[in-house]
Amino acid sequence: MPEGVSNGTKRPHSESPSAPPAAGPMQKGQQVLFYFESDAGDPKAPLLFCGPSRSKGNGKQQGGGFMFVASHTWLYGTLEQAVDPAKVNSEQKETWPLVLPKGEYNFVTRKGTPVPSATMPQRVRWVCDAKTPPCKLSLLFVRWGGEYSKWMDEQEANDGDWGKYGSPPSDEYMGHVVEKGFKKHPSLHSPEGMPQWELHHVLVASSKDALQIAPQAHMIRAGMKGPRRAAFWMLWPAEWEDFGDPDYACYVERHAMFAAMRACEAAAIRSIFPHPADQYELITSKSWMATLSLHPGVQLPAATVVSKGAVKVNVEAAAENALRALHHIRRLNPFPVEDGDPPAPSAVNKDGVVKGVVKLGWSWENRFVVTFTSPKHLQARLKEMMNQQGCLATYCVVQEWVDFDFEMRQYYLPPPTWPAEHPIQPTMIQCNAWGPSDDSKNVGVSRASFSKLTEAMVLDKWDGDKEAWEMAKEKATSIAQILLAWLLSAEHQPIPSMRLDFMVKRIGPGKARVIFGEYCEQGACVLGWLEGPPTIWRACVDAALRCLGFVELAERSMEARAGPVLIWSLPDLRDSPDELPAPTLARPSVSLKSVSCSGSLVTFATTEGQLYLLDAAGDDAPRLVEALRSKDVASAACSPSGMVLVVTSAGSIYKLNSPAGVQEKAAQGNEKAAALMAASMLAAFGRLEQLPLPVQITRAACGREHSLLLSLQGLVFSFGEGRRGQLGLGNVQSASTPTCLEDLFTVKQPASRA
C-alpha cells in the first residue's frame, strides 16, 4: 500500500501539523505532498478509495455495505514540472504545480466506478516537501450514498425552508459546509492559506449498510491522517423500515445509526454534528418531553409515554391511564396563574385533561403529531399512530394541549467559557404562526399551514403591546438557561449551538405566558436565516478544536462569533473634558471574521464574505456595501478620509472611494464631516476600483493619507501621499498606484490569521 492510504493498520501521526509550503523552487521529479480536492456531491467526480474490502475492478463492496472515500486530503506524488511557489497564483490554474499521484492510489466515483484519469498528472493548488501530511484535523461526513429525491436540494423559498443551503442530508448542504465552513475557518489553515484539514466520507444506502460501520470503526479511524478526528452525521435517525423509495432516503433505522455513532466515538472520532450519540438520541427521541415535565423551571406541558404493547393489548386502558397520568403530573407541577389570568396551559383542560396531542419520537415537522379531543378520540389516535405500516416505534408521547398565539424560536451559541454564572443571550430570535389543523388528514402528512412572523407582525397581533413582547423574550431566555444546562447531563461538553422553541401567548396588557415546546438539533431549519448555517458550522468546528486541544489562547480570544460588539468613539476632550463616551452594545445577527475602524467609521467583514460599514457617531446599524456583494470579502481597512481598502479571499485588493463631496471635506481638513458621511454614502454610492497587482494580498492598512499592502509572499507595497516620506520609497514623492518596497526585507506573515 502507498503512503497516505489506509490498509487498516495504525499510522503514526505528527502532533505538529503546520508544515510550511516549500520556501524555494522545486525541481521536476521531486517527491512532494499535494492537496487533493474533489466534490463528493458530483456523481462523476473522482474520490480516493480508502476501504473497506472491495470486489475486483471497482470500489463497490462485496454483498453491499458502506464505502469509505476521501474528497480532500494530502497525498504523495511527483512533480512533473519545476515550480517556484512564489509564482503560483491562486486564480491562475496554469501557474499551479503539475503533480503525478503515486500509482498505487485508487480513485472511484461515489458509486464505486473507477476513474483512471485521476491517476494522470494534475494541476494542484498546494504542494509541500514535508515528510508527514500537514493535517491537524480529520473531518468525516457520514452521508447518504444512494438515490434521494431532489426536494432536499432544490427547495423553493418558503416560510418553513432551510434557506438557500438545502437540508442537512443533501449534497447541496454538505457542499456549503465545505465551502463556507471548513474552507473559511482560519484555524484550519496555515498563515499562508494552506489547508491543514482533510475530509473523508462514509457513504451508505440503507440501514443495513449503516450496521456495518460499527465493526469497521477502527478501520475508518486508521484511514484518517490527522492526529484528531471529528464527524458530521448527515443522516436522520428514524423508527421505520427501509422503503427503498427516494422520497424516504437519508432516514436510517435509529439502532443502526446510534450503534455506528457510538462505535466511531469509541474509536476517537468525536461526533460534532448534530450532537454526540447520547445527547442526539435523547433530543430526537422526544422522551425528555415526559421526563422533564415535572421540572417546575422548564415550563413544559404535562406528558407521558405510552408503549406500543399497551396499545396492542388494551387501547381503552392505555388511553385512560395516559389521561390520568397527565392529570397527576399537572396537579403536582401546576403552572403559575395569577388572578385574572386565563387557565394554564389551556382553557379546555381547566377541569381535567380532555384535549392534547400524540407524537412519535425520531420524527420531524408536524407530520407525526395528531390532536385528540376526548378519551375515545385518544384511543383512535393511539391505534392510528402505533399501527402504521413499516413503523418500528415502540412508544409514543401523549401531551396535554397548550393555548398559544405563535412560536418563538431562540438560537443559542454558548461561548467557550460556558457554563458560567452569567446568562446566555440568544444570538437570533424568530417567530412563526400555525394555521388551523385539518384533523381529517391521515398521519404522516402536514395538517396545518406555517408562516414566519416579523416583530412588527407580532406586535400587530398583540395590539402593539411591546411590554408583553419584551416579557415573552425575557421569560423564554430565563427558561433556556435551565434547558441548556440540562443537556450537560447527557453530554459533559457544552453544545456548540441549539435552537429552542417556545409557545407564547399574550394573557393581558403587558403580560405574556411562555411554555417550552421543543429542543431542535443542530442542522434544524433556520427559517431562511442567511448567516445561520455558516454560524452553526463555525461553532461546531470551534468546539471540536477546543475540545481536541488545537485552539491557541489568542485564537480563542478572537473567534468570529455572532456575539456582542462594543462600539464607541471619543469626543473632542478640549470641548468636553469630563465627558467620556459610553460604549454602544451591538449584537449582530451575522458571524464576523474581522473588524476595523478609523475615527468613527467601522468596517465589519462577515464569514459570508460581505462587508458592512457603520458610522459609530451617527448610524443606528451597519449598512451592507452593495458593490462588494459578490467579492467574498476577507478583511478591510479604512482611512479618516472615507476610503476603504478591501481584501478578498482570493487575494485581490479593491479600493472603495467615497463620493466627491466627502473627499472635498476631507481635503479641507473636515474629517469629522467626512466620517459622518462616509458610512451611508460609501455603502450606497461608493466607487469600486480594483488595484492591479501581480501578487495575492493578505493584509491592508490605512494611514491618514497613505496605505500599505502585504502580499502572500511577504512583500510590502505602499501608495498614497508621500510628502513626508511615509511611503518608505526613499523620497517625498506621492504614488497613485501600489509600489513594492524593494529595499525592505521580506516580511514574515503573522502567526494568526484572525
Side-chain angles (χ1 to χ4, degrees):
M1 295 291 289
E3 294 179 88
V5 176
S6 169
N7 63 356
T9 60
K10 186 175 180 180
R11 183 183 298 104
H13 299 296
S14 168
E15 292 295 332
S16 301
S18 55
M26 306 173 74
Q27 303 304 314
K28 179 180 178 180
Q30 183 173 338
Q31 301 298 305
V32 295
L33 278 164
F34 71 94
Y35 194 66
F36 169 75
E37 293 186 70
S38 190
D39 179 8
D42 183 346
K44 296 181 180 180
L47 303 169
L48 178 70
F49 181 79
C50 302
S53 60
R54 58 193 179 93
S55 59
K56 188 174 182 180
N58 61 47
K60 296 179 181 178
Q61 287 66 253
Q62 298 174 352
F66 70 89
M67 186 164 66
F68 182 41
V69 295
S71 62
H72 298 71
T73 189
W74 286 93
L75 301 177
Y76 292 90
T78 305
L79 282 177
E80 291 287 288
Q81 297 174 347
V83 62
D84 184 353
K87 297 180 179 179
V88 174
N89 188 321
S90 292
E91 296 182 348
Q92 297 177 359
K93 193 169 184 178
E94 63 272 15
T95 69
W96 295 4
L98 184 65
V99 178
L100 175 67
K102 272 201 166 184
E104 296 89 344
Y105 292 132
N106 293 301
F107 296 93
V108 298
T109 68
R110 59 184 292 163
K111 297 297 184 184
T113 305
V115 186
S117 61
T119 62
M120 304 297 289
Q122 53 190 272
R123 296 282 180 186
V124 297
R125 173 62 186 89
W126 295 103
V127 296
C128 69
D129 53 8
K131 302 302 181 185
T132 305
C135 181
K136 71 162 62 170
L137 180 63
S138 291
L139 294 156
L140 175 69
F141 278 156
V142 184
R143 64 193 293 170
W144 192 254
E147 300 298 325
Y148 68 83
S149 292
K150 285 302 178 184
W151 69 264
M152 296 183 186
D153 281 332
E154 300 166 356
Q155 297 189 77
E156 295 182 5
N158 60 73
D159 278 357
D161 65 9
W162 274 271
K164 68 176 185 178
Y165 299 104
S167 58
S170 70
D171 293 335
E172 180 187 9
Y173 188 95
M174 282 176 270
H176 286 299
V177 175
V178 173
E179 294 298 322
K180 299 181 182 296
F182 305 154
K183 288 187 176 181
K184 299 287 187 181
H185 200 293
S187 295
L188 294 182
H189 299 80
S190 72
E192 299 80 14
M194 175 184 287
Q196 294 181 332
W197 58 279
E198 65 171 359
L199 176 60
H200 286 75
H201 308 259
V202 167
L203 297 161
V204 302
S206 66
S207 298
K208 184 178 179 181
D209 289 354
L211 278 171
Q212 298 186 33
I213 294 176
Q216 299 276 9
H218 286 280
M219 180 277 297
I220 295 171
R221 180 200 184 282
M224 302 170 77
K225 302 182 184 71
R228 301 293 186 271
R229 296 148 294 277
F232 282 63
W233 293 82
M234 313 305 276
L235 300 167
W236 284 320
E239 288 196 309
W240 296 87
E241 296 175 354
D242 285 6
F243 288 108
D245 186 332
D247 282 341
Y248 295 90
C250 306
Y251 290 93
V252 173
E253 196 280 323
R254 69 175 179 96
H255 293 97
M257 179 162 173
F258 289 118
M261 291 183 71
R262 290 187 172 97
C264 288
E265 289 170 7
I269 305 173
R270 183 175 182 239
S271 300
I272 60 172
F273 185 97
H275 302 279
D278 291 343
Q279 194 177 69
Y280 190 29
E281 187 172 32
L282 175 66
I283 292 170
T284 52
S285 72
K286 293 187 171 62
S287 62
W288 57 266
M289 292 183 172
T291 55
L292 262 180
S293 64
L294 271 169
H295 192 302
V298 299
Q299 301 295 296
L300 260 173
T304 187
V305 170
V306 178
S307 70
K308 177 179 283 188
V311 174
K312 293 281 190 180
V313 171
N314 189 333
V315 68
E316 294 85 358
E320 181 182 350
N321 289 333
L323 292 174
R324 187 180 296 118
L326 296 182
H327 178 73
H328 185 63
I329 292 169
R330 179 52 52 230
R331 183 172 60 83
L332 291 177
N333 184 27
F335 283 102
V337 178
E338 298 179 359
D339 291 341
D341 289 351
S346 66
V348 69
N349 290 334
K350 63 183 179 65
D351 297 322
V353 179
V354 294
K355 183 178 181 180
V357 295
V358 180
K359 302 179 178 181
L360 276 187
W362 293 285
S363 62
W364 284 263
E365 303 171 4
N366 70 341
R367 295 190 301 158
F368 296 98
V369 179
V370 294
T371 60
F372 65 88
T373 55
S374 68
K376 199 75 175 175
H377 197 192
L378 175 58
Q379 295 174 27
R381 289 305 201 189
L382 289 172
K383 290 172 64 176
E384 183 182 14
M385 192 69 83
M386 291 284 91
N387 291 325
Q388 297 176 82
Q389 183 177 1
C391 180
L392 304 175
T394 58
Y395 68 86
C396 60
V397 176
V398 179
Q399 193 176 54
E400 67 177 322
W401 184 256
V402 175
D403 292 333
F404 66 101
D405 298 328
F406 57 85
E407 281 185 326
M408 177 188 292
R409 300 180 173 202
Q410 290 193 342
Y411 298 84
Y412 286 87
L413 285 92
T417 54
W418 189 79
E421 296 179 4
H422 302 293
I424 308 172
Q425 297 299 317
T427 298
M428 169 66 76
I429 296 177
Q430 298 173 325
C431 295
N432 63 272
W434 290 95
S437 177
D438 183 357
D439 292 331
S440 65
K441 293 183 177 179
N442 294 328
V443 174
V445 297
S446 181
R447 285 171 302 284
S449 61
F450 178 96
S451 58
K452 287 189 287 192
L453 299 176
T454 63
E455 182 174 338
M457 295 166 71
V458 167
L459 292 175
D460 185 58
K461 271 180 172 286
W462 282 5
D463 298 327
D465 194 342
K466 194 158 188 177
E467 187 178 353
W469 168 240
E470 293 300 324
M471 174 183 281
K473 291 190 291 184
E474 182 179 340
K475 284 187 173 182
T477 303
S478 177
I479 297 169
Q481 310 308 307
I482 302 172
L483 295 169
L484 294 173
W486 186 77
L487 289 175
L488 292 172
S489 65
E491 169 60 38
H492 70 286
Q493 298 178 108
I495 55 167
S497 69
M498 176 61 68
R499 192 189 99 195
L500 302 175
D501 291 357
F502 299 89
M503 294 171 281
V504 181
K505 183 175 180 60
R506 179 175 178 250
I507 58 175
K511 297 180 67 176
R513 176 179 292 152
V514 176
I515 295 176
F516 180 49
E518 189 154 18
Y519 284 109
C520 297
E521 77 281 358
Q522 292 183 136
C525 170
V526 296
L527 296 187
W529 175 23
L530 183 64
E531 293 283 351
T535 301
I536 292 168
W537 305 332
R538 172 67 187 261
C540 289
V541 175
D542 282 347
L545 291 172
R546 279 197 304 274
C547 295
L548 300 176
F550 266 117
V551 175
E552 300 293 336
L553 181 61
E555 291 177 338
R556 284 206 303 266
S557 67
M558 300 187 72
E559 282 180 335
R561 283 288 186 89
V565 177
L566 291 175
I567 302 173
W568 66 93
S569 57
L570 287 174
D572 190 337
L573 296 182
R574 293 171 298 181
D575 298 332
S576 51
D578 297 326
E579 294 182 13
L580 290 177
T584 300
L585 179 64
R587 194 173 297 280
S589 60
V590 296
S591 180
L592 304 178
K593 59 183 174 184
S594 71
V595 179
S596 69
C597 62
S598 180
S600 63
L601 183 62
V602 187
T603 71
F604 302 90
T606 74
T607 54
E608 277 287 287
Q610 300 298 304
L611 185 70
Y612 290 79
L613 299 179
L614 173 77
D615 170 28
D619 285 341
D620 294 328
R623 303 165 187 265
L624 175 66
V625 180
E626 294 291 342
L628 290 164
R629 185 183 285 274
S630 63
K631 300 301 183 184
D632 195 9
V633 175
S635 63
C638 50
S639 73
S641 63
M643 181 190 73
V644 177
L645 291 179
V646 180
V647 180
T648 71
S649 296
S652 300
I653 182 76
Y654 290 87
K655 183 167 64 170
L656 186 66
N657 291 307
S658 55
V662 176
Q663 291 179 333
E664 290 171 4
K665 287 183 173 61
Q668 297 165 5
N670 193 345
E671 293 177 1
K672 184 175 181 180
L676 285 171
M677 293 179 63
S680 57
M681 298 298 286
L682 274 173
F685 307 111
R687 295 176 289 120
L688 193 63
E689 174 189 354
Q690 183 173 5
L691 302 181
L693 284 170
V695 294
Q696 292 175 266
I697 299 301
T698 60
R699 298 285 181 93
C702 293
R704 183 181 296 272
E705 298 172 315
H706 76 293
S707 302
L708 299 177
L709 306 175
L710 178 62
S711 78
L712 180 64
Q713 295 78 18
L715 301 176
V716 177
F717 295 78
S718 66
F719 66 100
E721 179 60 53
R723 64 179 181 271
R724 298 183 182 88
Q726 62 265 52
L727 296 185
L729 300 175
N731 55 47
V732 290
Q733 302 298 315
S734 298
S736 59
T737 58
T739 303
C740 182
L741 304 186
E742 297 179 357
D743 293 334
L744 187 67
F745 288 110
T746 299
V747 177
K748 185 178 179 180
Q749 288 281 345
S752 172
R753 301 175 71 237

